Amino acid sequence: MTSLSRELVFLILQFLEEEKFKESVHKLEKESGFFFNMKYFEEKVQAGEWEEVEKYLAGFTKVDDNRYSMKIFFEIRKQKYLEALDRQDKAKAVEILVGDLKVFSTFNEELYKEITQLLTLNNFRENEQLSKYGDTKTARGIMLIELKKLIEANPLFRDKLIFPTLKSSRLRTLINQSLNWQHQLCKNPRPNPDIKTLFTDHTCTPPNGPLAPAPVNLPVAAVAKPAAYTSLGAHGPFPPAAATANANALAGWMANASASSSVQAAVVTASSMPLPQNQVSILKRPRTPPTAPGMVDYQNAADHDQLMKRLRPAPSLEEVSYPTARQASWSPEDLPRTVAMTLHQGSSVTSMDFHPSHQTLLLVGSNNGEIALWELTLRDRLVTKPFKIWDISACSLPFQAAAVKDAPISVSRVTWSPDGSFVGVAFTKHLIHLYAYTGSNELTQRIEVDAHIGGVNDLGFAHPNKQLCIVTCGDDKLIKVWDLTGRRLFNFEGHDAPVYSICPHHKENIQFIFSTAIDGKIKAWLYDNMGSRVDYDAPGHWCTTMLYSADGSRLFSCGTSKDGESYLVEWNESEGAIKRTYNGFRKKSAGVVQFDTTQNRFLAAGEEGQIKFWDMDNINVLASIDADGGLQGLPRLRFNKEGNLLAVTTADNGFKILANASGLRSLRTIETPAFEALRSPIESAAIKASGSAAVNVSPVNCKVERSSPVRPSPILNGVDPAGRNVEKPRIVEDAIDRTKPWQLSEILDPVQCRLVTMPDSTDSSSKVVRLLYTNSGAGLLALGSNGVQKLWKWTRGEQNPTGKATASVVPQHWQPNSGLLMTNDISGVNLEEAVPCIALSKNDSYVMSACGGKVSLFNMMTFKVMTTFMPPPPASTFLAFHPQDNNIIAIGMEDSTIHIYNVRVDEVKSKLKGHQKRITGLAFSTNLNILVSSAADAHLSVWSIDTWEKRKSVPIQLPAGKAPTGDTRVQFHSDQLRLLVAHETQLAIYDASKMERIRQWVPQDVLPAPISYAAYSCNSQLIYATFCDGNTGVFDADSLRLRCRIALSTYVQSATLSGSQSLYPVVVAAHPIEANQFAVGLTDGSVKVIEPSESEGKWGTSPPIDNGILNGRAASSSTTSNHTPEQAQR
């Protein structure tokens, strides 16, 4: 029987059990032989129903199958024989002896004779071995203990003693989903279909005319927990009381959907806020007209088969969350309540958003239509963009007319894309703007769209079908989805009033949108053209905003009624009902209350010129503050990702930044007088510079306009580097630094920085070869050359309030209670030649690694090996999780191939061929939809993620005479466009869209040794590189200029240093949140975490651009793709 058929039997067993068909349940257990019900077996033994006991056993084993089975049947028949003797029923005893026990005589004749002699005794207890035989009940109990041991040890019962974990009424759920699927295929789907039979496929009878959807006026809180097709309760075999299957469909069904193929499975039976009992929950799979790009429909049997494969149950890599220490209650000190600064925008602030990774970079939108980019550590605007219509001729005629006569246009929403590479702006009239942000403190115009008739009320980013898109809503009652070229992909109609806000979200790989309108209606949409899935009333029946907690597990909404009543609630996603309503609002508000969430811990809302905080798990106000006064009556507010900073709007056209202790440390303010003195010359003009590759050019005095899209071109040893189109103005920090002579920052001693050594890390027999921070930033994972992995974790405490990795606190060398080690398969492996590799799932639940042997998948909670795959040869040499599906893994191999492997179905989906030597690096770009690979052949290859076809291959430019050998590693910049390429001979930045080299740095001057490893900082503004002579360099990521050198003496005591000539950092890892923190693994097995000193707060400063000469010392210069390798070395 196939695996799916076997699982169907389990579903039927569950159904029979729930329906109380007891005899049928056990008959199917016995006939299928899939599940041995120990409880039922015990009941029959205790009752002495020996015939039923043996019949049930016969479904799983026979007497002579093995010694365990023989012993089981012997104990049962012996007990039956003794009970007959105890009843003085000699005739029955003889029948049992001859009919049941005779079979054992051939195996042990002496035992059979001894049993036979018991017939001659008046009381079998006269036999010495049976003298302690008690009453029948006690004897059966003792025998049962022995039987259970035998059954558990019997290999024939392996995997048959535990019933699989299933959600209740799983078979009903699947049938409901099937009916939904059938209903969506109807040519004339009716809004309230009447399902009368399961014997034939469902179809709706053709309507006489168009049917409007039935109106729904029930409040969310009043809706009972429904099934997807509750009409089955009346017309089918499933009673309503049992129809509770799949209550959490959006969170459950979507979470179980796999993206193991190119087809997006979005067959959903109920939304996270299910429909009322009288309405069908038609949560359909995405089905899009042919004009919609990138969306795939099931059109043939092959697609259907592929989907069936995907639905095959298997442990999903997304189902376990990495445990983090959680306190029972949160201290008020964790709240950002201290006013750190007050800043003046110049116009009333209407929207704010912090950069997702650069925690002190704040985007601000104003009432006058202006947007500004603030660097809070500098207390100044880096970029200002006054409102301007980029191309009036491309706008609609109504907007052109409105733009002339109407009042000034305001910003209604500013927001960052999830990776911080784009900025979206929505305006109160028609328009949206999209800017590109490259990390160099400049916003570049990308697209302008006349998006809605009237105001654009909200804007967000989403990733339907792995494609970054913009979602907008407006006064025209529509929600629209746009690609990054401004092309409209979807147009969602269904609201009867202007749409006030949107909340794009996803569960696993299923993307959806919540929307709210000013009539208080809440709707939910999948990315298809099948209409909304939800129609509910929000508390207050007016303007409401919805937000998820940071981890996406909890849904909140906040809004105000027309009468001024404000509501802050948490929703129960599984039931579509309000889980809790938070107290603390005044009775009447003059406008709409705004709110935000942070760190899965706190809620904050602005009201009465105050900020009110709640613990998510407590309905009462935790704290209220007025931030020293001056706030707007209904202030807008926004947390940064860490939750240690809070921006809140003021009544005088500005905003305040509130911070907790951690936030205050991140706001290391600089002296403002020098900055103020330089403000005018910096802003005076943009520079124009040119150069020739053939001659040296005199130094140029550079004055940079902050809002200029072009930064001065560095003139380096007669070289005018290419790539000016991706280079932007330097941050103001650089200008301030030029007020004093620039000097390379050099760290020679641990007292010059903050440094912590991981406990139990030093092992001279195993150098650290791979190093990773956990994605949460609270742990560090090291893989040694012996195949053993170690994990260190930081916990929240007084010295470390964030609980994140820090060089100020020694972490715990963490192991599960079992004492297990995460050890890779190294059987038959020559560790000297093995290439260890490691990758961590994005939710920190699983780590995958290999060390010359099979790839092992470890559970990060228990350290147990979940599965192994890809046994050599060839051995795996590099591992990378697909960025949008933890079940898809790219595996670089020793034989130069790349395998695209699906863990869920244990299948290699594609095998990529194009390199000549082993794979040494893999990097995905979701923006470009590509995989870049590097190999020991010194070549880079580009592969399409959609088709896995090879797009391009380029060699890296090596020095003259250098053989194409050595490891080449690749990593994408946070913009997913630029690519860091690290080889022992160079650091290089490539434009991955063209695979053209923009810039290159070669070992020289104070860093002459070969490079051992390199990595971007989390915000991609720095590059950390380690060298084989023990040094570590911190480079400016844009210019590849050296900012700081960290000597080996910083990590290692001088006595140790003098005793080892080969001690150096092998690998470096950048913290995922703290841009100035990194970790190194050394050849002696030790692991160090290092941060700048508290007083410095950063690794040196950016060097000035001065013809390649820095304070009389030759600069660690960069070259570009315009030059041959020979020129690059001069």
Side-chain angles (χ1 to χ4, degrees), residues 47-80:
E49 297 180 25
W50 304 118
E51 185 176 351
E52 177 58 26
V53 166
E54 289 212 22
K55 278 184 180 179
Y56 190 71
L57 269 174
F60 302 88
T61 184
K62 298 188 291 294
V63 174
D64 56 355
D65 277 344
N66 56 43
R67 60 191 179 93
Y68 298 102
S69 298
M70 186 176 293
K71 179 70 170 169
I72 290 168
F73 279 99
F74 175 74
E75 291 296 329
I76 291 170
R77 294 175 182 181
K78 182 184 77 173
Q79 179 64 25
K80 183 167 61 167

Side-chain angles (χ1 to χ4, degrees), residues 241-261:
T244 58
N246 201 23
N248 191 0
L250 204 56
W253 175 252
M254 287 183 173
N256 292 330
S258 159
S260 58
S261 79

Side-chain angles (χ1 to χ4, degrees), residues 455-477:
V456 184
N457 296 324
D458 202 1
L459 179 148
F461 287 93
H463 275 94
N465 208 36
K466 306 177 184 179
Q467 176 185 6
L468 183 64
C469 295
I470 307 161
V471 185
T472 62
C473 66
D475 288 341
D476 54 6
K477 308 175 186 178

Side-chain angles (χ1 to χ4, degrees), residues 316-364:
S316 170
L317 302 190
E318 295 282 10
E319 292 174 358
V320 180
S321 296
Y322 187 55
T324 55
R326 179 181 171 91
Q327 296 171 313
S329 61
W330 300 101
S331 165
E333 297 304 315
D334 293 328
L335 295 171
R337 300 192 298 172
T338 302
V339 178
M341 62 183 71
T342 301
L343 300 169
H344 189 66
Q345 175 67 21
S347 177
S348 179
V349 175
T350 55
S351 181
M352 300 177 292
D353 196 25
F354 279 95
H355 191 278
S357 58
H358 188 152
Q359 301 297 309
T360 59
L361 197 60
L362 180 66
L363 186 65
V364 177

Side-chain angles (χ1 to χ4, degrees), residues 947-1072:
T947 62
W948 300 115
E949 292 178 353
K950 187 175 179 180
R951 289 187 181 177
K952 196 169 187 178
S953 180
V954 297
I956 65 169
Q957 297 182 14
L958 297 172
K962 172 67 178 176
T965 58
D967 289 357
T968 306
R969 306 192 189 283
V970 286
Q971 182 188 358
F972 270 100
H973 186 285
S974 60
D975 65 8
Q976 296 278 292
L977 301 174
R978 283 173 284 179
L979 182 75
L980 170 64
V981 177
H983 184 262
E984 63 184 50
T985 64
Q986 63 189 275
L987 300 175
I989 306 296
Y990 281 72
D991 177 353
S993 65
K994 307 171 187 174
M995 283 313 290
E996 293 179 356
R997 196 183 71 186
I998 301 167
R999 195 168 299 283
Q1000 183 191 53
W1001 179 91
V1002 294
Q1004 58 189 281
D1005 193 31
V1006 294
L1007 297 174
I1011 298 165
S1012 59
Y1013 213 94
Y1016 272 123
S1017 64
C1018 63
N1019 61 4
S1020 298
Q1021 294 187 7
L1022 302 174
I1023 293 172
Y1024 300 113
T1026 53
F1027 294 80
C1028 294
D1029 61 0
N1031 281 306
T1032 301
V1034 182
F1035 293 81
D1036 182 277
D1038 284 342
S1039 64
L1040 287 186
R1041 286 180 169 274
L1042 183 64
R1043 296 169 62 107
C1044 179
R1045 179 180 75 92
I1046 304 167
L1048 182 62
S1049 55
T1050 308
Y1051 306 127
V1052 184
Q1053 296 178 352
S1054 56
T1056 308
L1057 192 59
S1058 60
S1060 174
Q1061 298 300 315
S1062 60
L1063 187 60
Y1064 65 91
V1066 182
V1067 62
V1068 64
H1071 191 278

Side-chain angles (χ1 to χ4, degrees), residues 773-795:
Y773 278 97
T774 59
N775 293 296
S776 67
L780 188 62
L781 186 65
L783 172 60
S785 56
N786 60 355
V788 177
Q789 292 161 114
K790 294 180 180 179
L791 175 64
W792 295 273
K793 287 165 62 174
W794 282 259
T795 55

